[in-house]
């Protein structure tokens, strides 16, 4: 059977995207930006989340919404994710060597986590960068929790955060059995926090429920003072969002750190 023209066209397009992405890694076109996380009680610097960007030769800098799905569907996320993890660990170790001490969070796709070699990738990234495992947080989605690599990962001493968590969808009982150290409240939930009846109260019960189990709650995507005030009232301990800072390259984070009057890091 002969392929329909549109199908072969799609395939050609798909394979050219695959080649583009493979070339991007070799040509050093990927880079990481870091978004500060702030302690909502003290305003101190509490950590950073590493986020990938692609400096595309024709299109300029593009974000993961434009290429992450392709990386995942082609399996290229394994090598690109390994690079991102190693780069973030080295950057974290460099900040720590200069006396700053805060956690670095790295996003991990299900495609990475499900592979046997993933735990080795994490161990190698830690060993080669000399980053303390206690200072690395892996952000994963709820569906990744069932992966068998999960417990091997925890035995390395790194922390695990569940990303994009919506307390209006997931029941509080589930938190009871979540084997994670951090819960990150989803940006879309925070966006409607002050307009949705009952949402702040939901956050409040979630925070006290999580606290009893030693889980930290972090809000993402905080954009305005109303959301911030509400999260502070409900005792959410940390947050990130454009109200504090957009993601920046490491050199700009350095500048920000220098300007930070209160800094939560423990000196080494
Ligand atoms: P995420 O882990 O939920 O990351 C937060 C996203 O929200 C980031 O988008 C960040 O730039 C954006 N953001 C932060 N604060 C605000 C705010 O106040 N308002 C708005 N409108 N947006 C805000 P970004 O960088 O485009 O990343 C999108 C997603 O791509 C991430 O969502 C994460 O799931 C994934 N991702 C990013 N980097 C990596 C990576 O290195 N590996 C993997 N596997 N996934 C990654
Ligand atoms: Mg994340």
């Amino acid at each position: 059977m002969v392929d329909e023209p549109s199908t072969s066209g799609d395939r050609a397009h798909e394979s050219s995207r695959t080649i583009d992405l493979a070339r991007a890694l070799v040509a050093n076109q990927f880079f990481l930006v870091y978004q500060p996380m702030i302690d909502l009680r003290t305003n101190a610097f509490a950590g950073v989340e590493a986020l990938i960007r692609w400096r595309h030769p024709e299109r300029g800098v593009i974000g993961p919404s434009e290429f992450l799905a392709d990386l995942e569907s082609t399996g290229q996320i394994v090598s690109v994710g390994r690079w991102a993890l190693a780069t973030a660990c080295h950057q974290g170790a460099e900040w720590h060597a200069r006396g700053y001490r805060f956690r670095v969070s790295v996003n991990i796709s299900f495609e990475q986590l499900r592979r046997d070699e993933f735990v080795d990738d994490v161990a190698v990234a830690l060993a080669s960068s000399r980053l303390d495992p206690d200072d690395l947080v892996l952000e994963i989605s709820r569906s990744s929790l069932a992966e068998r690599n999960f417990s091997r990962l925890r035995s390395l001493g790194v922390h695990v955060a569940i990303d994009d968590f919506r307390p209006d969808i997931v029941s509080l009982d589930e938190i009871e059995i979540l084997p994670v150290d951090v819960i990150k409240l989803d940006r879309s939930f925070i966006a409607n926090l002050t307009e949705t009846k009952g949402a702040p109260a939901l956050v409040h019960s979630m925070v006290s429920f999580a606290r009893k189990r030693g889980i930290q709650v972090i809000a993402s995507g905080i954009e305005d003072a109303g959301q911030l005030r509400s999260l502070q009232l409900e005792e959410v301990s940390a947050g990130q969002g454009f109200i504090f800072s957009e993601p920046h390259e490491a050199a700009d984070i350095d500048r920000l750190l220098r300007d930070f009057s209160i800094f939560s890091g423990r000196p080494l």
Side-chain angles (χ1 to χ4, degrees), residues 32 35 49-53 64 68 72 77 84 107-109 112 139 163-164 187 221-223 240-242 247:
L32 294 181
Q35 186 176 32
E49 177 177 9
L51 297 157
I52 195 165
R53 297 289 181 267
L68 194 61
E72 288 172 343
I77 189 64
N107 291 283
I108 305 296
S109 293
Q112 293 171 268
E139 298 194 2
D163 214 353
D164 309 323
R187 183 152 58 86
I222 312 172
E223 289 187 351
Q240 63 189 93
F242 294 169

Side-chain angles (χ1 to χ4, degrees), residues 30-41:
F30 291 118
F31 63 102
L32 294 181
V33 287
Y34 300 87
Q35 186 176 32
M37 293 183 197
I38 304 298
D39 186 316
L40 299 188
R41 296 156 303 191

Side-chain angles (χ1 to χ4, degrees), residues 28-31 53-58 60-62 249:
N28 271 326
Q29 289 168 2
F30 291 118
F31 63 102
R53 297 289 181 267
W54 180 5
R55 195 169 279 115
H56 193 283
E58 281 115 42
V61 173
I62 54 179
E249 288 191 62

Side-chain angles (χ1 to χ4, degrees), residues 44 53 149-150 162 229 263:
R53 297 289 181 267
N149 269 342
F150 192 72
I162 188 161
R229 211 164 23 248
F263 162 64

Side-chain angles (χ1 to χ4, degrees), residues 18 56 87 93 109 124 150 153 155 162 170 181 190 196 205 215 226 246:
T18 308
H56 193 283
T87 305
S109 293
V124 168
F150 192 72
L153 201 59
S155 64
I162 188 161
V170 184
D181 312 283
I190 301 299
T196 313
S205 21
I215 301 173
E246 290 188 13

